[in-house]
Amino acid sequence: MSAQRLHFTKMHALGNDFVVVEALQQAFEVDSNGICKLGNRQLGVGFDQLLVIRRNVESQADFDLDIYNSDGTKAEQCGNGTLCVARFLADRNFSIKKTLSFQTLGGKVRVTVDGQNVFAKLALPLVDPAAVPFVASSASLQYKVRVDLDALAEVQVTPIGMGNPHAVLFTNPYAKHVEAVAHALQNHVRFPESVNVEFVEVLDRQTIRMRVFERGAGETLACGTGSCAAVAAAKLSGLVDQCVRVEQKGGVAEVYWAGADEEIELSAPTTFVFDGEIDIE
């Protein structure tokens, strides 16, 4: 098989980094092995997620957005990624619309570019176990899950569906056992599609601190859907107000959620890093 020359753009939102590929003017087809090679930070370009922009042929959205983790697996949703993609399309004049819609595996996302500000309206946060998905005999907000670690037998989690699955734990994000807990939950039978894990400390009613471990990518410096899941879990627990700052290793995201049947809104700064070319098979 001959190699194909791929044009790409590296971007990030709060250090949550992406390779953005427009498959509008160039062909792009690659298997999971190729994605892994591209995502390798030593031998490829490196990214938390690969974002592939395609035309939406059914006119249900402005664009289709394919999302892949660095291990080659598909992801349903990516909040920070949609912010970066909208900025990319606006800056490269692929669209003159102020608000763009993207069809993802996790549903439709609308993103507005207003000067230097980018806002994404994501899905309604879901707590129904089947919608996360999370295995439970009855519906609740919080559940105890056995992890059987040496220092910890079980943890209390709030499963949240954001188009992709999340497990929010209210605890010290920098406790020494959090990585082991994240790994245990991501391989737990009660999360049949694995899960993104957020460790959250509520600082006040407008501020939380979060550390996140993503499926297929490991710990990341920030996570958009994770920020939204954390705020949703905290608000449903009566711990925060509608407007919340989410402090992460890579910086601060802002999340607004009125609650009930309302969509959740995410904002974070987007940064262009570089354009590049690479041969892939």
Side-chain angles (χ1 to χ4, degrees):
M1 180 184 298
S2 60
Q4 60 174 312
R5 176 62 56 89
L6 177 69
H7 301 268
F8 67 90
T9 298
K10 186 74 180 284
M11 300 184 72
H12 77 84
L14 302 178
N16 187 191
D17 67 329
F18 311 103
V19 162
V20 178
V21 174
E22 61 84 4
L24 307 171
Q25 298 179 338
Q26 65 176 335
F28 177 73
E29 298 297 336
V30 67
D31 60 17
S32 59
N33 289 331
I35 293 170
C36 286
K37 291 178 181 178
L38 187 62
N40 188 298
R41 295 189 183 276
Q42 286 73 44
L43 304 177
V45 180
F47 53 77
D48 292 328
Q49 278 83 32
L50 168 67
L51 310 172
V52 184
I53 309 164
R54 302 185 188 276
R55 299 196 183 279
N56 184 273
V57 297
E58 298 179 356
S59 300
Q60 296 177 343
D62 293 308
F63 299 95
D64 285 341
L65 183 61
D66 295 340
I67 307 164
Y68 301 89
N69 295 313
S70 56
D71 69 351
T73 57
K74 279 194 171 184
E76 302 92 343
Q77 196 58 273
C78 184
N80 285 337
T82 56
L83 297 178
C84 287
V85 165
R87 168 64 67 193
F88 169 86
L89 290 168
D91 287 353
R92 305 301 170 91
N93 297 314
F94 281 101
S95 176
I96 60 173
K97 295 176 66 174
K98 185 176 179 179
T99 297
L100 296 171
S101 59
F102 299 98
Q103 188 65 49
T104 71
L105 286 178
K108 189 180 294 185
V109 180
R110 295 191 306 278
V111 188
T112 299
V113 180
D114 185 9
Q116 294 302 309
N117 300 315
V118 190
F119 306 89
K121 284 194 174 182
L122 303 176
L124 172 70
L126 301 175
V127 295
D128 175 60
V132 175
F134 174 73
V135 177
S137 57
S138 60
S140 179
L141 182 60
Q142 296 182 331
Y143 305 82
K144 290 185 177 179
V145 177
R146 292 197 61 83
V147 290
D148 292 324
L149 300 174
D150 291 340
L152 196 64
E154 64 181 19
V155 294
Q156 185 164 277
V157 305
T158 302
I160 299 286
M162 284 299 311
N164 55 356
H166 292 266
V168 179
L169 293 80
F170 293 104
T171 186
N172 177 5
Y174 294 94
K176 63 180 181 180
H177 60 268
V178 295
E179 186 170 0
V181 169
H183 180 76
L185 292 175
Q186 288 173 338
N187 292 279
H188 205 286
V189 294
R190 298 188 70 180
F191 289 102
E193 296 180 10
S194 191
V195 68
N196 302 290
V197 185
E198 290 81 32
F199 298 92
V200 176
E201 179 183 7
V202 178
L203 302 181
D204 55 48
R205 294 196 65 84
Q206 294 80 38
T207 315
I208 65 175
R209 179 179 296 143
M210 183 182 84
R211 190 175 174 192
V212 58
F213 294 82
E214 297 191 52
R215 297 178 303 171
E219 183 176 10
T220 57
L221 296 181
C223 177
T225 55
S227 296
C228 293
V231 170
K235 191 172 189 305
L236 290 169
S237 300
L239 302 174
V240 298
D241 297 329
Q242 293 182 350
C243 298
V244 183
R245 288 165 48 88
V246 184
E247 297 181 356
Q248 300 160 86
K249 282 189 172 182
V252 178
E254 295 185 356
V255 175
Y256 174 82
W257 190 42
D261 297 325
E262 299 295 327
E263 295 174 318
I264 197 164
E265 186 173 290
L266 168 73
S267 179
T270 58
T271 303
F272 166 83
V273 183
F274 62 86
D275 288 320
E277 295 181 356
I278 189 172
D279 290 332
I280 60 172
E281 295 181 353

